[in-house]
Amino acid sequence: MTLGDIEFPTPSEDADCRPVREILDRIADKWSLYIFVALKDGPVRFNALRRQIDGISQRMLTITLRQLERDGLISRTHFPTIPPRVDYELTAVGRSLLAPVMALMTWADSNRDVIEQARWQYDQTR
Amino acid sequence: MTLGDIEFPTPSEDADCRPVREILDRIADKWSLYIFVALKDGPVRFNALRRQIDGISQRMLTITLRQLERDGLISRTHFPTIPPRVDYELTAVGRSLLAPVMALMTWADSNRDVIEQARWQYDQTR
DNA sequence: ATAGAGTAGTATCAAATTGTGACCAACCCT
DNA sequence: AGGGTTGGTCACAATTTGATACTACTCTAT
């Protein structure tokens, strides 16, 4: 068997790609993946997410959470206490996305040396 | 078994996350995933990619291809003919990333109705 | 009593990223 | 000779993201 023969699970061939694009553009943006991973073990509060996801601004965290909520991937629970408390949690649909997302994370983790070296080699030849 | 008990493949718990972030930020940008999918069946020429990936600009295609090449995920082959011909192709490492990427695509494809509906519902309540 | 920190945001403006259209050189076809 | 193809690059405009400050309220420490 050559590498070219490997079969991958594919979406139906002639599917209209636009809706898929709209979904992927949400998942594959700068922050969504990290929010996903941060929520994998259960509900997390807003500022806890902010501390956990290094480098995210309050603004982008709010915006990205709203979009994920709109897509039904996470749920937002507001407790009207003082100080306010807002929990974010993966929905059932969101959890079903966790498997492919974690597969991607795992790939990235186990291939970082290879990529690091490829970058170094590329930069040598300019 | 409750949903909370599902175990996902995880990168080593205390791994330094920065290199993983650098890799994911490349994969999870606006165009890389689509380039990946476009190359899944074999080498494709520059302008063929441009036609296949709807909405990408020549500039972003060039930039993204260079970055993927730097990471060793795709290879670039230049044929000095007239008119010039440049083939882009997944490397072995690139192909190993294809499985998780296609899993993501497949998820997006099979969940688009659910997400479409969630969006509609969210927009109703504003 | 008062200063400081924490809560979950919003508003405003600057900085970075991405898109747009023009341009290139070398050829082929009519 | 004019128009089309190839794979780019360049300058500039539009969009997206980031940084900083601000909100209103409470609890804790000085």
Side-chain angles (χ1 to χ4, degrees):
Chain A
M1 181 171 112
T2 66
L3 283 162
D5 295 326
I6 297 173
E7 279 300 315
F8 295 102
T10 18
S12 51
E13 276 307 325
D14 52 357
D16 184 3
C17 280
R18 247 159 306 177
V20 177
R21 284 271 305 252
E22 272 173 49
I23 294 169
L24 279 176
D25 285 349
R26 163 100 9 271
I27 298 164
D29 71 357
K30 196 170 177 185
W31 300 112
S32 294
L33 281 183
Y34 301 113
I35 290 179
F36 247 84
V37 175
L39 293 178
K40 76 182 168 61
D41 294 323
V44 182
R45 299 179 62 166
F46 183 87
N47 274 330
L49 278 173
R50 193 151 78 99
R51 281 186 293 267
Q52 197 170 336
I53 301 167
D54 198 62
I56 195 169
S57 66
Q58 205 164 12
R59 185 175 167 275
M60 286 317 291
L61 180 55
T62 303
I63 290 173
T64 310
L65 284 170
R66 289 280 185 285
Q67 288 170 332
L68 291 173
E69 189 196 355
R70 177 170 179 259
D71 288 351
L73 300 175
I74 64 175
S75 64
R76 180 179 186 274
T77 312
H78 174 250
F79 302 92
T81 57
I82 300 285
R85 170 179 172 176
V86 179
D87 275 6
Y88 290 94
E89 191 176 11
L90 293 180
T91 62
V93 185
R95 275 189 298 269
S96 77
L97 175 54
L98 208 44
V101 166
M102 289 313 292
L104 212 65
M105 298 292 275
T106 304
W107 184 94
D109 189 45
S110 49
N111 285 87
R112 54 188 178 166
D113 292 342
V114 180
I115 288 175
E116 190 90 30
Q117 203 193 330
R119 282 177 184 175
W120 182 85
Q121 206 160 355
Y122 183 92
D123 293 343
Q124 290 311 98
T125 61
R126 190 148 10 107
Chain B
M1 181 171 113
T2 66
L3 282 163
D5 296 327
I6 298 173
E7 278 300 315
F8 295 102
T10 19
S12 49
E13 276 306 325
D14 53 357
D16 185 4
C17 281
R18 247 160 305 177
V20 176
R21 284 271 306 253
E22 271 173 50
I23 294 169
L24 279 177
D25 286 348
R26 163 97 15 268
I27 298 164
D29 71 357
K30 195 169 178 184
W31 299 113
S32 295
L33 281 183
Y34 302 112
I35 291 180
F36 247 84
V37 174
L39 293 178
K40 77 181 167 63
D41 294 322
V44 182
R45 299 178 62 166
F46 183 87
N47 274 332
L49 278 173
R50 192 149 81 98
R51 281 187 292 266
Q52 197 171 335
I53 301 168
D54 197 61
I56 195 169
S57 65
Q58 202 164 14
R59 186 175 167 275
M60 286 316 293
L61 181 55
T62 304
I63 290 173
T64 311
L65 285 170
R66 289 281 185 285
Q67 289 171 332
L68 290 173
E69 189 196 355
R70 178 170 179 260
D71 288 351
L73 300 176
I74 64 175
S75 64
R76 181 178 185 274
T77 313
H78 174 250
F79 302 92
T81 56
I82 299 289
R85 170 179 173 177
V86 179
D87 276 5
Y88 290 95
E89 191 176 10
L90 293 179
T91 62
V93 184
R95 274 189 299 271
S96 76
L97 176 53
L98 208 44
V101 166
M102 290 314 291
L104 212 64
M105 298 293 275
T106 304
W107 184 94
D109 189 44
S110 48
N111 286 87
R112 51 188 181 168
D113 292 341
V114 181
I115 287 175
E116 191 90 31
Q117 204 194 328
R119 282 178 183 174
W120 181 85
Q121 207 160 354
Y122 183 92
D123 293 345
Q124 289 311 98
T125 62
R126 191 149 359 127

